Amino acid sequence: MGEAYQSGDGLPVELIGALAERFGDRFQQGDAIRLEHGRSETHFAPMPPDGVVFAETTDEVVAVVNLCREAGVPIIPFGAGTSVEGNTLAVQGGISLDLSRMIRIVAVNTDDFDCVVEAGVRREQLNEYLRDQGLFFPIDPGANATIGGMASTRASGTNAVRYGTMREAVLGLTVVTADGRVIRTSRRARKSSAGYDLTRLFVGSEGTLGIVTEVTLRLHPIPEAISAATCSFATIAGAVDTVVQSIQLGIPLARVEILDDVQIRAVNSWSKLDLPELTTLFFEFHGSERYVAEQVETVKELATANGGGEFRWAHRTEERSALWKARHEAYYAAVNLRPGAIGWATDVCVPISRLAECIAETKRELEASSVPATILGHVGDGNFHVVFSMDPDSEAELEEVKAINARLVRRALDMDGTCTGEHGIGLGKQQWLEEELGDAVDLMRAVKMALDPDNILNPGKVFQL
Amino acid sequence: MGEAYQSGDGLPVELIGALAERFGDRFQQGDAIRLEHGRSETHFAPMPPDGVVFAETTDEVVAVVNLCREAGVPIIPFGAGTSVEGNTLAVQGGISLDLSRMIRIVAVNTDDFDCVVEAGVRREQLNEYLRDQGLFFPIDPGANATIGGMASTRASGTNAVRYGTMREAVLGLTVVTADGRVIRTSRRARKSSAGYDLTRLFVGSEGTLGIVTEVTLRLHPIPEAISAATCSFATIAGAVDTVVQSIQLGIPLARVEILDDVQIRAVNSWSKLDLPELTTLFFEFHGSERYVAEQVETVKELATANGGGEFRWAHRTEERSALWKARHEAYYAAVNLRPGAIGWATDVCVPISRLAECIAETKRELEASSVPATILGHVGDGNFHVVFSMDPDSEAELEEVKAINARLVRRALDMDGTCTGEHGIGLGKQQWLEEELGDAVDLMRAVKMALDPDNILNPGKVFQL
């Protein structure tokens, strides 16, 4: 189909014709829609695709893959666009393949605690749908992301300490491969040792190995009792030690989030709360009434021993929703510490024995910086975020944040941690992947070249070939 | 190094010289030791390797890989030899690389609930070592397998319903690749979204993609209270429904095993117990004293409502050990239903909503067969085993068992289940892998060819290239 495609060329006319014929007005090339699919919620400069296709079925995804492959044109799968490491930017142009209209909930198998959904289903839609059936899908990255996107970045979030990440939540995938085949990576059994774990290979591959169109998810029964509370601490170490000791005692914390004093100030202002402006843990406990009471009793004792203040309870559903809504909006709260600012969100994850030290060192550096920044994280996993509130017009601030981020990543790597706990590599973390994993990255390259020999699937992401 | 190696040739003389020089008497070619590394605990005919190397370090594994690759000679990683699908048989000759002397526990990080061990460490050794530190490693396939072998077959077992399988337990691996490089698949953080999930790609790859030499494992705190019990049921459905309903209520069953009446008879005889010869559940509950009591109360109510009898308790550690020892020896108990018999152990896994039906249909078929056979399984996962006690000299019995096994697998696949829940594909399940996963197997082949282009790592296993 015409000459070899080069980024910046615009699309080959044959491809434009074929996509227009097949997709009608679900194939678009207008500036606004291209920009919408080529920008990030964070600091990355926009990199719009040459066109956008809204696919509604797996067969349509196959059609796009086949047309683009023949034309040598890149395909970037797109969901809600809420990723923060530039994961969906069209660095080499091409087609943004928008799956957000694939929102069918294909099946819910209540007795098996699983469901099958299309890639464009968002987590809030799914939980809404499941509520009446006594089940829920626990993975909660904050943003109302699509399930396909969450699978692709191996997302996790606030519930991961108890329920795991997308690594544990995904039981199987329907994937369109680079050569246009539709595969299913697994049957619906809860476990299997039938061959290579293709499910986990695709989870976290950021659309570079295949395009996820359906996801089979593990669900959980809605607990009989749910209780949430906040507790402020005099020191970061006191907060972290409370969590580590709770886990050592086998307390199955359902959620445990740390927010530093600056983040609490931002949350108070953005969400109209009045929390003490100190390092604070947000807890959630799940279980039977009696068991939740027992967990709470133990954790309160530990908190007190570690310099924690009073527990402020959110017993009613609405109070709890308000609390977690505030947590979910923490990113926007942080960015808006300054009017007109843009955000930069980074994350690292370290062994939890090193977490207090890693946060404390980072905190000292943030305090010495001229750019406002907050710390918040999933303390039970050893994972935390720094959100910077940057002047969009200041090159100096961008450079300063870049340097702080680089030192943060190196600090995490020095502690045997990872450069990204849950955001993925995208564009933003590529320079550290090799430092983190060495020659293992060559194996990733070999897998990429084996499964996408023409390099048409989200090229330029995760690593350079 | 000489002519191309052909299976059955014996080893090239240059390779023999080089291995003898490097490994001295840790390289052996005697018949007895080759047979020991070339037979299975089940029905497979022996397929001995041409030689055995006992490696003691990762560097030695690199040396073997480099020498064998240059000679074009297969390498079959070997641990405890307890796999049951012919996973370690030398189908194309070559070197059995025995890692059972790599038994160092490299590090235990108590605050991080993880440890690093060499591949040859056995699970009992590890738990012995951990006991004083208040931690345990939960994955328990019955046999005292090596951790490397368990990673390679994605083993699971009795605790998987609560603690997951080797998929969840392995945090990272040190792997020697086919081209002789040493890679580490992950840092020690509990989660990461840094690139492709190589850890999970190697877990379950049965030594065909690389040789695991060290494993970082997730550990758990030893619960304050542990209680175990057995309960007999009038029907299989009653037992299965008790488990499904318990999970629906959020009871975190630590272990829940089903044994059919024939298996109970075998266990009574082999382990000198006096359990009622009915379908029986073996339970274990973990938690605080109060929480265990609460779990037990709920499960007892459910069991009674589903036709269960009295709970027989094993409160004391010794009683509990005796109970689980009996469960672990169930395979030997089953094979020894007939003196001089050989065993055939198969396993499938189905969505748990289909489990009662799958077991009941299988049971009817076993009752109609002339070969004694038992059913036992990890009912919370939907996974069960059939163990046949076969006359080693009867071709007719072998054919009959083959046919029953084939129908069992097809039954599981028809229920959207898998041909193997935890034993791996090895040789025994290859004919069904393609039926289960279709074109996805081609992706596995592509990955294999990318990571082991000369096909020297456990060739002929999992699938044919």
Side-chain angles (χ1 to χ4, degrees), chain B residues 186-336:
Chain B
S186 168
R187 294 296 186 110
R188 206 161 54 75
R190 279 177 104 66
K191 67 182 194 188
S192 172
S193 52
Y196 304 163
D197 191 345
L198 296 178
T199 306
R200 255 51 59 179
L201 180 61
F202 283 106
V203 169
S205 65
E206 303 189 22
T208 63
L209 297 178
I211 298 172
V212 171
T213 61
E214 281 187 15
V215 186
T216 303
L217 292 170
R218 190 169 173 167
L219 303 174
H220 295 264
I222 295 175
E224 177 193 326
I226 301 177
S227 216
T230 59
C231 179
S232 309
F233 288 80
T235 62
I236 290 169
V240 173
D241 288 350
T242 300
V243 175
V244 173
Q245 291 161 12
S246 298
I247 295 173
Q248 269 161 346
L249 289 176
I251 309 286
L253 298 167
R255 285 170 154 164
V256 57
E257 297 285 298
I258 196 168
L259 293 81
D260 78 348
D261 55 334
V262 187
Q263 183 66 59
I264 292 291
R265 184 153 52 84
V267 164
N268 277 344
S269 156
W270 181 263
S271 300
K272 314 286 174 255
L273 298 180
D274 62 344
L275 297 164
E277 295 187 355
L278 295 167
T279 301
T280 303
L281 293 179
F282 282 29
F283 288 103
E284 194 166 274
F285 304 95
H286 291 180
S288 63
E289 294 286 355
R290 275 188 286 171
Y291 187 41
V292 164
E294 186 186 332
Q295 294 175 48
V296 165
E297 197 182 300
T298 309
V299 174
K300 276 172 77 170
E301 278 173 31
L302 294 172
T304 304
N306 285 299
E310 284 298 296
F311 272 51
R312 291 165 61 133
W313 290 99
H315 287 294
R316 287 183 304 123
T317 307
E318 311 80 72
E319 291 169 322
R320 234 178 27 242
S321 301
L323 185 66
W324 292 111
K325 185 162 183 289
R327 168 62 188 86
H328 287 153
E329 292 176 355
Y331 172 69
Y332 301 103
V335 176
N336 283 282

Side-chain angles (χ1 to χ4, degrees), chain A residues 28-302:
Chain A
Q28 302 209 7
Q29 291 197 277
D31 284 348
I33 208 150
R34 289 194 301 112
L35 184 60
E36 204 174 278
H37 288 76
R39 63 181 166 76
S40 151
E41 292 205 11
T42 59
H43 63 285
F44 293 97
M47 304 182 201
D50 297 303
V52 179
V53 174
F54 294 87
E56 294 180 354
T57 64
T58 297
D59 282 349
E60 289 189 349
V61 172
V62 171
V64 173
V65 167
N66 285 337
L67 289 168
C68 285
R69 187 185 60 252
E70 284 162 28
V73 166
I75 307 161
I76 306 109
F78 190 92
T82 51
S83 61
V84 295
E85 289 293 358
N87 317 59
T88 56
L89 300 182
V91 284
Q92 300 182 20
I95 295 291
S96 178
L97 180 53
D98 188 316
L99 305 171
S100 66
R101 298 184 187 178
M102 292 184 65
I103 54 171
R104 278 196 321 138
I105 292 173
V106 180
V108 176
N109 305 295
T110 49
D111 279 350
D112 296 318
F113 312 101
D114 69 43
C115 68
V116 182
V117 303
E118 288 185 339
V121 168
R122 292 180 185 230
R123 65 174 187 84
E124 289 179 6
Q125 175 199 348
L126 177 59
N127 274 321
E128 197 72 41
Y129 187 91
L130 292 171
R131 193 164 301 141
D132 293 343
Q133 308 183 51
L135 295 170
F136 80 113
F137 167 65
I139 315 298
D140 169 16
N144 190 16
T146 62
I147 301 298
M150 289 171 63
S152 295
T153 51
R154 204 181 298 125
S156 53
T158 60
N159 277 310
V161 59
R162 165 89 172 252
Y163 296 96
T165 73
M166 287 301 276
R167 185 175 80 194
E168 286 78 33
V170 177
L171 289 175
L173 297 166
T174 299
V175 175
V176 177
T177 62
D179 60 0
R181 288 193 285 183
V182 178
I183 62 151
R184 206 178 143 196
T185 60
S186 168
R187 294 297 186 109
R188 207 161 54 77
R190 279 177 104 66
K191 68 182 194 188
S192 172
S193 54
Y196 304 163
D197 191 345
L198 295 179
T199 305
R200 255 52 59 180
L201 180 62
F202 283 106
V203 170
S205 65
E206 302 189 23
T208 63
L209 297 179
I211 298 172
V212 171
T213 60
E214 282 187 13
V215 186
T216 305
L217 292 169
R218 191 170 171 165
L219 304 174
H220 295 264
I222 294 175
E224 177 192 326
I226 301 176
S227 216
T230 59
C231 179
S232 309
F233 287 81
T235 62
I236 290 169
V240 173
D241 287 350
T242 300
V243 175
V244 173
Q245 292 162 11
S246 298
I247 295 173
Q248 269 161 345
L249 289 176
I251 309 287
L253 299 167
R255 286 170 153 165
V256 56
E257 298 285 298
I258 196 167
L259 292 81
D260 77 349
D261 54 334
V262 187
Q263 182 66 59
I264 292 290
R265 183 153 53 83
V267 163
N268 277 345
S269 157
W270 182 263
S271 301
K272 315 283 174 255
L273 298 180
D274 63 343
L275 296 165
E277 294 186 357
L278 296 167
T279 301
T280 303
L281 293 179
F282 283 28
F283 287 103
E284 194 166 274
F285 304 94
H286 291 181
S288 64
E289 295 285 355
R290 275 188 285 171
Y291 187 41
V292 164
E294 185 186 334
Q295 293 175 48
V296 165
E297 195 182 303
T298 309
V299 174
K300 275 173 77 170
E301 277 173 33
L302 293 172

Side-chain angles (χ1 to χ4, degrees), chain A residues 349-355 382 412 415-417, chain B residues 112 114 188-190:
Chain A
C349 187
V350 297
I352 56 175
S353 63
R354 308 299 299 275
L355 181 63
M415 293 177 174
D416 212 0
Chain B
D112 296 317
D114 70 42
R188 206 161 54 75
R190 279 177 104 66

Side-chain angles (χ1 to χ4, degrees), chain A residues 249-443:
Chain A
L249 289 176
I251 309 287
L253 299 167
R255 286 170 153 165
V256 56
E257 298 285 298
I258 196 167
L259 292 81
D260 77 349
D261 54 334
V262 187
Q263 182 66 59
I264 292 290
R265 183 153 53 83
V267 163
N268 277 345
S269 157
W270 182 263
S271 301
K272 315 283 174 255
L273 298 180
D274 63 343
L275 296 165
E277 294 186 357
L278 296 167
T279 301
T280 303
L281 293 179
F282 283 28
F283 287 103
E284 194 166 274
F285 304 94
H286 291 181
S288 64
E289 295 285 355
R290 275 188 285 171
Y291 187 41
V292 164
E294 185 186 334
Q295 293 175 48
V296 165
E297 195 182 303
T298 309
V299 174
K300 275 173 77 170
E301 277 173 33
L302 293 172
T304 304
N306 285 300
E310 285 298 295
F311 272 51
R312 291 165 60 133
W313 290 99
H315 287 294
R316 286 183 305 123
T317 308
E318 311 81 71
E319 291 170 322
R320 237 182 20 244
S321 301
L323 185 66
W324 291 113
K325 184 161 184 289
R327 168 61 189 87
H328 287 153
E329 293 176 355
Y331 173 69
Y332 301 103
V335 176
N336 283 283
L337 279 169
R338 287 203 288 187
I342 56 165
W344 175 318
T346 186
D347 90 306
V348 296
C349 187
V350 297
I352 56 175
S353 63
R354 308 299 299 275
L355 181 63
E357 182 188 351
C358 192
I359 291 180
E361 282 180 25
T362 306
K363 177 84 181 155
R364 274 195 292 280
E365 199 163 0
L366 298 182
E367 284 169 347
S369 158
S370 63
V371 185
T374 69
I375 289 177
L376 70 165
H378 313 306
V379 57
D381 303 325
N383 179 208
F384 71 98
H385 309 258
V386 179
V387 178
F388 298 92
S389 175
M390 300 192 302
D391 176 349
D393 302 318
S394 167
E395 192 59 38
E397 286 201 5
L398 187 65
E399 289 306 314
E400 189 181 347
V401 170
K402 261 189 198 163
I404 296 173
N405 184 44
R407 285 192 296 272
L408 170 63
V409 170
R410 188 135 305 119
R411 187 175 303 127
L413 294 178
D414 286 347
M415 293 177 174
D416 212 0
T418 175
C419 67
T420 175
E422 56 182 24
H423 292 170
I425 296 291
L427 296 174
K429 291 286 173 69
Q430 288 191 18
Q431 59 185 302
W432 294 290
L433 183 63
E434 207 108 18
E435 191 172 329
E436 178 170 332
L437 294 175
D439 281 355
V441 183
D442 277 345
L443 271 69

